[in-house]
Amino acid sequence: TVLFAIGMLVSIGATGQDQDYWKIQHINTSDGLSNRFVNAFVQDSRGYTWIATNFGLNRYDGYRLDLFTRERNNLQNNSIYQLYNDVNDHIWIMYRDLFYSPVRGIDVIDPISFRIQPLESYLGQGLPFAVEDIFTIHPDSSGSLFLITNKKEVYQYNNDGLSLLFTMEEEGTMG
């Protein structure tokens, strides 16, 4: 049984043309994947694929898997819900039990040094909200991350740091 398939976009220049092709590789727990429940994956700027599972964070280079866990690498939790790339080529690791459950924490990993730190330490400032108040995060193509809180505040994280963009109005109100 195939438990997980990764589609990686690979540029192949053997024909002299710059064409993109999908290369599909199937990996599962017998290949070293830490858990059969995969929640998310992202590819970093160097081509490594990072895989969020219910037991740790896996880094895949196309041949082997490296595992990062709470016990070995000081992640806040082993059950990882979502991953996001940011403008600094770091990966945000979001912990949450289910889609509508509160965020339990966010760590940020430097994919080169493997330094892992809580979001507050990474930003170097106190957060203007509790991590548990984050409802969702949305990335854009430039690497900016948009954090939406339960209080309907929209923050942006980019090269300038974290800043409040606006507060959404309640439904049915006119401004």
Side-chain angles (χ1 to χ4, degrees):
T1 303
V2 175
L3 300 175
F4 181 64
I6 299 176
M8 292 181 284
L9 197 56
V10 179
S11 179
I12 300 174
T15 64
Q17 300 175 19
D18 288 330
Q19 297 177 345
D20 291 328
Y21 296 94
W22 282 98
K23 179 181 176 186
I24 304 293
Q25 290 184 276
H26 300 275
I27 60 172
N28 59 38
T29 55
S30 65
D31 299 310
L33 189 64
S34 65
N35 190 273
R36 67 187 185 106
F37 295 103
V38 172
N39 300 318
F41 62 93
V42 297
Q43 191 171 38
D44 69 22
S45 62
R46 297 180 316 140
Y48 291 97
T49 301
W50 296 80
I51 307 164
T53 72
N54 283 354
F55 187 75
L57 178 65
N58 297 258
R59 185 185 76 142
Y60 184 60
D61 66 3
Y63 302 99
R64 62 175 237 158
L65 288 151
D66 296 310
L67 175 62
F68 298 83
T69 65
R70 180 179 48 135
E71 295 78 11
R72 295 196 307 195
N73 307 95
N74 296 317
L75 295 175
Q76 291 182 43
N77 197 309
N78 281 328
S79 184
I80 301 169
Y81 174 75
Q82 189 59 268
L83 301 170
Y84 303 96
N85 291 318
D86 75 10
V87 295
N88 300 313
D89 290 327
H90 291 124
I91 299 168
W92 291 31
I93 306 164
M94 179 190 283
Y95 309 99
R96 137 185 301 179
D97 294 327
L98 302 167
F99 181 75
Y100 287 107
S101 63
V103 173
R104 298 175 82 196
I106 296 176
D107 281 328
V108 180
I109 185 169
D110 179 330
I112 296 173
S113 70
F114 305 132
R115 180 176 182 210
I116 299 168
Q117 54 188 324
L119 179 61
E120 299 87 340
S121 298
Y122 175 68
L123 296 178
Q125 63 188 48
L127 294 176
F129 50 81
V131 170
E132 298 81 22
D133 288 338
I134 296 172
F135 177 71
T136 189
I137 297 176
H138 291 282
D140 73 7
S141 60
S142 70
S144 291
L145 297 175
F146 297 89
L147 292 74
I148 302 171
T149 69
N150 293 330
K151 297 176 183 175
K152 300 187 185 249
E153 299 164 321
V154 178
Y155 290 85
Q156 181 180 21
Y157 178 75
N158 59 20
N159 286 327
D160 298 325
L162 183 69
S163 59
L164 176 65
L165 290 181
F166 59 91
T167 301
M168 294 183 280
E169 293 186 26
E170 294 292 327
E171 278 187 45
T173 61
M174 300 296 287

